[in-house]
Amino acid sequence: MHQVIDWLRTVPLWQAALVFLAKNALVLVLAVALGEWLVRRHAHRRVAPEALPLQREEWVLATVCVVLNSVVTFAGLLLWREGLIRFRLDSGPGVLVDVLVLVGVMDLGMYLLHRTAHLPLLYGWLHAPHHRYERARPLTLFVLSPLEVLGFGALWLAVCVAYESSWAGMLLYLVFNTLWGLLGHLGVEPFPDAWVRWPVLRAVATTTFHARHHLDLAHHYGFYTVVWDRLFGTLAPDYEVSFARSQVVPPEPLAPPQPDLPGSGV
């Protein structure tokens, strides 16, 4: 670990940029490969209609996402070199605490950003590109507008500045974030039917949960849990009843909903 830190401290910035780009490209390749394997393995438990033939725009937006994720990583390196981001090198129970803190804070932050992105004034140019693909596939995780990628990246960097996590906690969170984002875009449900009946686990977001959002823009803005959707009234009333059941594509393109943000008085 100390060798990695020494490398981060002394590596020329152009070399760091290339390494970060290669790392984020590898993340995309591995995530999509894992996702396609899960889709085939659980094909009998489809919760969303099969994706349409791959479009050129999907690859373009995914490529831009990889580049911008690399920019966010590079910005994190600069903030660390300036002392604004700090991390610990300890291991043990503290790492688990860090993961729980990062997941909890990011889950709330991304819920609020996601719900804000669905406001009519922002939806068309900020979040609509992602929802052009209501028949999600693993690659859809990376099919985002550039501003949305930078928005979520800025949230992550802000959390890193505000909270001094362990190195291991940050790494585990990033792995978890990618895996859970991937699960949300499989279109098939890998979790057992009893998932939504088990205490604690029923609060964890599932593929069904996010697949429903791609077909019903008025519900399910959370990422890792359904906690904030329950609290703010955006959980579909029939979510648990319809868990692991195939959803239907709306006959007409969905218009962007007009939700009121928490605290708006509604």
Side-chain angles (χ1 to χ4, degrees):
M1 185 60 221
H2 291 286
Q3 291 179 333
V4 174
I5 293 175
D6 290 339
W7 180 84
L8 289 172
R9 184 176 289 114
T10 60
V11 63
L13 293 179
W14 68 269
Q15 289 185 19
L18 291 178
V19 170
F20 295 156
L21 182 61
K23 183 268 292 183
N24 281 287
L26 181 62
V27 168
L28 181 145
V29 171
L30 293 178
V32 171
L34 174 61
E36 293 296 340
W37 177 78
L38 288 170
V39 169
R40 291 193 299 272
R41 181 176 176 84
H42 299 281
H44 61 291
R45 305 193 74 223
R46 180 158 287 282
V47 295
E50 291 189 38
L52 299 173
L54 193 64
Q55 300 179 30
R56 178 176 176 273
E57 183 188 24
E58 291 178 82
W59 278 117
V60 171
L61 287 175
T63 300
V64 172
C65 179
V66 167
V67 173
L68 293 181
N69 280 338
S70 304
V71 170
V72 171
T73 308
F74 187 81
L77 173 64
L78 296 180
L79 290 171
W80 174 72
R81 285 188 174 185
E82 292 297 322
L84 296 175
I85 289 179
R86 299 180 302 277
F87 53 81
R88 309 186 317 274
L89 299 179
D90 60 288
S91 58
V95 173
L96 178 59
V97 172
D98 291 333
V99 173
L100 293 175
V101 169
L102 293 173
V103 168
V105 172
M106 288 296 293
D107 193 39
L108 174 59
M110 290 197 291
Y111 173 91
L112 295 174
L113 284 181
H114 190 189
R115 195 167 176 184
T116 300
H118 276 268
L119 292 173
L121 291 178
L122 301 176
Y123 179 83
W125 54 274
L126 182 60
H127 194 47
H130 186 66
H131 278 289
R132 291 188 193 126
Y133 308 100
E134 55 194 18
R135 295 171 176 244
R137 69 175 101 243
L139 183 66
T140 308
L141 170 62
F142 301 92
V143 180
L144 304 165
S145 76
L147 288 175
E148 191 166 15
V149 177
L150 292 175
F152 285 124
L155 173 64
W156 167 240
L157 293 178
V159 171
C160 289
V161 170
Y163 178 74
E164 184 177 347
S165 171
S166 61
W167 171 268
M170 295 171 68
L171 179 61
L172 288 174
Y173 165 78
L174 291 173
V175 173
F176 172 83
N177 176 64
T178 301
L179 289 177
W180 228 255
L182 179 66
L183 288 171
H185 295 88
L186 293 178
V188 298
E189 184 56 76
F191 295 110
D193 290 339
W195 186 269
V196 293
R197 297 194 297 272
W198 290 337
V200 181
L201 291 182
R202 66 195 297 261
V204 177
T206 62
T207 302
T208 302
F209 174 83
H210 195 71
R212 174 69 173 267
H213 175 69
H214 272 261
L215 302 172
D216 174 10
L217 304 189
H219 297 96
H220 297 188
Y221 302 104
F223 279 75
Y224 313 130
T225 74
V226 306
V227 170
W228 308 113
D229 287 280
R230 287 189 188 278
L231 182 62
F232 296 126
T234 53
L235 184 70
D238 63 340
Y239 163 61
E240 293 186 358
V241 175
S242 63
F243 178 75
R245 296 182 182 178
S246 180
Q247 307 295 313
V248 179
V249 174
E252 299 291 339
L254 288 168
Q258 302 184 25
D260 293 295
L261 287 174
S264 62
V266 178

